[in-house]
Amino acid sequence: MNKAVRNAVIAGNWKMNKTRPEAKALIEELKPLVKDADCGVVICVPYTNLETALELTKGSNIKVGAENCHWAKSGAFTGEISADMLAEMGVEYVVIGHSERRQYFGETDVTVNKRVRAALDAGLKVILCVGELLEQREQGITEEICAMQTKVALLGVSEDELKNIIIAYEPVWAIGTGKTATADQANEVNGYIRSVVAKLYGEKAAEALTIQYGGSMNAGNAEELLSKEHVDGGLIGGASLKAPDFATIVAAASK
Ligand code: PEP
């Protein structure tokens, strides 16, 4: 397995933060700080900020993503947004299966799979989140949980379509808690997820797959996490809301 063949991607997940003026200020501050990045830079923002983000990042190296999408093309799904609606705007990425969606909004492995399919059909790139709860880690079933979430999410996804997928391993106990997985723990599970993908799609496809780590990654711990063989970038929550911190993580991934 050769890390150098993979594209490192640092993606911010703003969650339900930032009004439009706040989003504008953050993006304007961020642009010059990451302009020389030698990795992919993505900001996944609330729906209400997509237009602002697309406008302000035009001509820059920052790509824009949404934080979720529905599986249907259109219809009676009040409050939802379809993948086609995002693609039509010029959005490139979408986060699917984030643990907060699973925890608070009844997202299951099956609905994650349906959303993944819809996003790929619309031509979007997917950041697919998987990860275990603290109790599951303590029970010693981290690998089983990550394997199950990965396999179900990828049902019906072809090897060619896998090129439009990034997997983000996010141990739920590390998200927004300040409790980061150690670099070795992150590397171990990322490597395991890669082996699951290798069984499904072959070694070559698995070797090329970008697998991020997410969970309290910040300006202080990013370099060590990103130095690991199987950690190809990060999905960043809290630290993506501060331009200098996010830029420091981008710089660490560019080394
Ligand atoms: C996330 O929202 O995906 C995340 C990793 O959050 P945080 O970095 O705040 O833990």
Side-chain angles (χ1 to χ4, degrees), residues 175-223:
I175 297 179
T177 58
K179 223 186 212 183
T180 324
T182 64
D184 285 335
Q185 282 172 326
N187 191 47
E188 194 184 331
V189 182
N190 278 29
Y192 175 72
I193 293 169
R194 199 180 303 288
S195 75
V196 169
V197 173
K199 282 198 191 111
L200 295 173
Y201 295 95
E203 290 286 332
K204 197 155 172 251
E207 185 172 34
L209 178 70
T210 297
I211 305 183
Q212 300 172 320
Y213 166 78
S216 299
M217 194 189 277
N218 59 41
N221 60 24
E223 191 164 343

Side-chain angles (χ1 to χ4, degrees), residues 124-180:
L124 297 172
K125 296 189 174 81
V126 172
I127 299 176
L128 165 66
C129 302
V130 301
E132 82 286 2
L133 304 171
L134 182 59
E135 307 88 271
Q136 293 167 334
R137 176 162 282 263
E138 286 171 350
Q139 271 180 282
I141 55 170
T142 296
E143 291 189 347
E144 284 91 333
I145 295 296
C146 291
M148 173 74 102
Q149 291 181 354
T150 302
K151 285 181 186 174
V152 178
L154 295 179
L155 277 173
V157 172
S158 70
E159 186 182 335
D160 200 42
E161 288 173 324
L162 191 69
K163 294 181 187 129
N164 286 325
I165 292 199
I166 290 173
I167 294 182
Y169 165 57
E170 300 209 304
V172 181
W173 47 271
I175 297 179
T177 58
K179 223 186 212 183
T180 324

Side-chain angles (χ1 to χ4, degrees), residues 13 15 98 100 170 174-177 214-217 235-239:
N13 172 22
K15 314 193 188 202
H98 192 279
E100 287 151 17
E170 300 209 304
I175 297 179
T177 58
S216 299
M217 194 189 277
L235 183 57
I236 320 296

Side-chain angles (χ1 to χ4, degrees), residues 18 25 28 31 41 47 52 76 79 82 87 121 123 134 143 148 150 166 176 193 200 208-209 228 234 251 254:
K18 302 292 176 188
E28 293 294 19
K31 271 197 294 191
V41 182
Y47 295 131
T52 304
S82 76
D121 288 342
L134 182 59
E143 291 189 347
M148 173 74 102
T150 302
I166 290 173
I193 293 169
L200 295 173
L209 178 70
K228 294 292 174 183
S254 300

